Amino acid sequence: MRILIIGGGGREHVIAAGIKSSKHNPSIYAVMAKKNPGIAVLCEDFLLEKETDVEKVIGYAKSRNIDIAFVGPEAPLAAGISDALWEAGISVIGPKKTCAIIEFDKAWTRNFMKKYGIEGCPTYKIFTEEGPAHAFIEKLGDVAVKPSGLTGGKGVKVMGDQLPDIEAAKTYTSMLLEKGSVVIEERLIGEEFTLQALVDGKSLVFFPAVQDHKRAYEGDLGPNTGGMGSYTDAEEILPFMLSEDLDKAKQIMKSTVKALYEETKTEYMGILYGQFILTSSGPKVVEFNARFGDPEAMNIIPIIETDFVEIMLAVVKGTLGKLPVKFSRKATVCKYAVPAGYPDNPEKDSEVIVEDLGEALVYYASVYEKGGKIYTTGSRAVAIVGCAETIDAAEKIAQNALENIRGNLFFRKDIGTAALIQKRIDHMKELRS
Ligand code: GLY
């Protein structure tokens, strides 16, 4: 079996590790924009190329007789990489462009949710002109502002968070309108969680719910990032959730896959990522993504017990319904070590020394290797994961390992701690009372 991974970040490193652990002993190949040293050592061979260069990726995949590909990030999906791979006779984990639109066009997705009556859609409108957009912001009074297209997770701004008031929301909207359409929607108040599922066109297999932490600094302060760390419980739900919240989120994702087929006549094959806010009236959809989350993939892939290659084959053959996908009942805590100054003014080319990690798992993200040493590039550098019977024990494994990583880096000590989790539980109790 010859498997191609497209992408070169932390998420793709954990995907590569999952594939490597298969008893089928697959040969791994990769296309990545920059060499990820963690992925490179797991590969027979790799191509350093833009992952969105469809022609080059297909040429490489054909030259290596690839059987199946796994697309990590969203940009190649939006560029139509899955369509081209299927056309070349290569099976793909990652939906075709007609379905991946659910991630790369936020306006399309909201209209699609409305058309098919999918639950959890907030009040929203889509605008191309400033006057009506500003009037709608005034009317709602408390809003989230989203550019329609892909922005690498950095385009959505929310009042009470990155937008201090209505005037700031209007100014940001006007700026976005110069580039394209804008979705304005009611601000959702609650606790965020992520639900990820394998989808084979019809069936969905859900992974445990994850909570990511977007803010750079402890106490959920500072600028937004791609995600500083995340945790799962040994249960499917998180400590601030009820089982009915998870059931509702699963139902929303199942309805979404069914409706996507009705709308596009194309089967969704890959990972569906639902980002939800658990509000006082249940889970609401912030957005859908067409791939694993980063860091959320790091919480899930290490606890999968079923053979990873068999899972991939079941996705592309449409036989997930017949494969029992098992996880170890362990809690996980993932924390990213990031360069000093990240995200606004990160220190680049700074050495990272990773030693004595104990039981923790390590995944490289934005780092490079030179002369046998590892250096930062400026984005999230190294993800450390602890897996244990409880969140508390998993947190300690991750924390101890992070304290042994040397370099001009920082990480959030509070992710996965009992104090922060209690804050989430108290917040939900207050909202539900
Ligand atoms: N952690 C957020 C994302 O992957 O979109």
Side-chain angles (χ1 to χ4, degrees):
M1 180 87 54
R2 299 162 77 87
I3 301 182
L4 176 67
I5 296 170
I6 297 166
R11 167 183 45 213
E12 290 74 34
H13 187 183
V14 71
I15 291 169
I19 295 169
K20 195 75 186 171
S21 70
S22 167
K23 67 174 192 285
H24 294 279
N25 197 22
S27 301
I28 302 178
Y29 299 81
V31 178
M32 39 193 170
K34 292 189 188 128
K35 180 179 161 187
N36 177 322
I39 298 175
V41 294
L42 300 176
C43 286
E44 303 294 317
D45 171 40
F46 54 86
L47 172 71
L48 296 182
E49 186 54 78
K50 267 168 67 179
E51 296 122 4
T52 48
D53 190 328
V54 175
E55 212 175 301
K56 297 244 174 68
V57 175
I58 298 299
Y60 178 72
K62 283 185 177 166
S63 73
R64 298 299 184 271
N65 291 319
I66 296 298
D67 299 299
I68 181 164
F70 201 127
V71 187
E74 61 277 19
L77 295 171
I81 202 81
S82 297
D83 307 59
L85 283 161
W86 281 107
E87 273 162 32
I90 298 167
S91 313
V92 196
I93 309 290
K96 289 183 181 170
K97 198 172 171 180
T98 39
C99 287
I101 193 170
I102 199 155
E103 170 158 5
F104 66 76
D105 190 336
K106 308 291 178 212
W108 184 94
T109 301
R110 285 303 188 215
N111 286 339
F112 158 79
M113 288 183 77
K114 190 169 168 187
K115 177 174 172 186
Y116 288 91
I118 294 168
E119 286 188 76
C121 187
T123 303
Y124 78 94
K125 274 191 180 174
I126 295 155
F127 296 95
T128 52
E129 287 174 20
E130 191 177 74
H134 286 192
F136 192 62
I137 292 171
E138 292 273 359
K139 186 176 164 208
L140 288 184
D142 197 3
V143 296
V145 182
K146 301 178 168 182
S148 284
L150 283 181
T151 54
K154 296 191 179 82
V156 179
K157 293 196 178 178
V158 179
M159 272 176 66
D161 198 342
Q162 306 88 356
L163 301 170
D165 52 30
I166 284 197
E167 284 317 307
K170 287 183 186 171
T171 306
Y172 183 55
T173 301
S174 301
M175 198 188 91
L176 292 179
L177 282 168
E178 284 171 20
K179 294 184 205 135
S181 64
V182 176
V183 184
I184 312 274
E185 53 192 45
E186 66 174 306
R187 177 163 83 103
L188 299 169
I189 298 170
E191 280 297 324
E192 276 190 29
F193 70 93
T194 301
L195 188 60
Q196 300 167 105
L198 296 160
V199 188
D200 71 353
K202 298 171 284 295
S203 308
L204 288 85
V205 171
F206 291 96
F207 297 114
V210 191
Q211 188 173 48
D212 185 17
H213 298 72
K214 296 275 179 355
R215 297 297 199 104
Y217 311 139
E218 278 151 32
D220 295 320
L221 299 172
N224 265 353
T225 69
M228 292 294 289
S230 46
Y231 67 96
T232 56
D233 206 345
E235 319 277 327
E236 263 192 302
I237 57 171
L238 291 160
F240 57 84
M241 294 171 75
L242 305 173
S243 57
E244 66 210 50
D245 300 324
L246 185 69
D247 292 344
K248 175 60 77 67
K250 285 183 178 176
Q251 197 46 54
I252 290 171
M253 286 175 59
K254 283 182 192 166
S255 311
T256 300
V257 169
K258 190 162 173 274
L260 259 179
Y261 183 72
E262 275 176 52
E263 180 67 16
T264 65
K265 299 289 173 270
T266 306
E267 290 191 330
Y268 190 106
M269 288 186 176
I271 311 298
L272 181 63
Y273 169 116
Q275 194 190 357
F276 294 90
I277 291 196
L278 183 54
T279 69
S280 56
S281 55
K284 306 280 178 201
V285 177
V286 177
E287 63 181 7
F288 290 111
N289 292 330
R291 39 126 187 126
F292 268 127
D294 185 346
E296 292 97 324
M298 262 77 97
N299 300 92
I300 299 302
I301 294 174
I303 59 165
I304 296 176
E305 288 180 340
T306 306
D307 191 279
F308 203 77
V309 168
E310 283 169 24
I311 291 177
M312 289 173 65
L313 291 172
V315 168
V316 296
K317 288 181 182 162
T319 55
L320 260 185
K322 292 188 204 141
L323 182 74
V325 178
K326 295 206 175 107
F327 317 104
S328 55
R329 294 184 79 76
K330 284 199 170 152
T332 66
V333 174
C334 172
K335 303 195 197 204
Y336 257 118
V338 301
Y342 173 82
D344 295 332
N345 204 8
E347 191 173 288
K348 296 178 183 162
D349 308 314
S350 169
E351 192 183 348
V352 180
I353 301 171
V354 179
E355 288 172 348
D356 304 328
L357 294 186
E359 297 168 61
L361 305 169
V362 59
Y363 302 104
Y364 289 115
S366 291
V367 290
Y368 66 93
E369 195 174 7
K370 199 171 160 194
K373 293 181 178 174
I374 302 287
Y375 297 90
T376 59
T377 65
S379 195
R380 295 176 296 178
V382 181
I384 298 293
V385 181
C387 303
E389 306 304 311
T390 62
I391 300 174
D392 201 41
E395 192 278 330
K396 287 192 171 63
I397 292 170
Q399 182 67 27
N400 287 341
L402 281 153
E403 278 165 12
N404 283 338
I405 293 185
R406 283 175 287 146
N408 199 7
L409 303 161
F410 74 97
F411 59 91
R412 275 186 61 169
K413 290 195 178 74
D414 61 346
I415 293 170
T417 57
L420 193 57
I421 287 167
Q422 191 57 48
K423 205 169 134 191
R424 311 294 191 219
I425 295 169
D426 294 344
H427 185 208
M428 273 326 296
K429 264 196 196 142
E430 187 193 320
L431 289 176
R432 291 192 211 256
S433 64

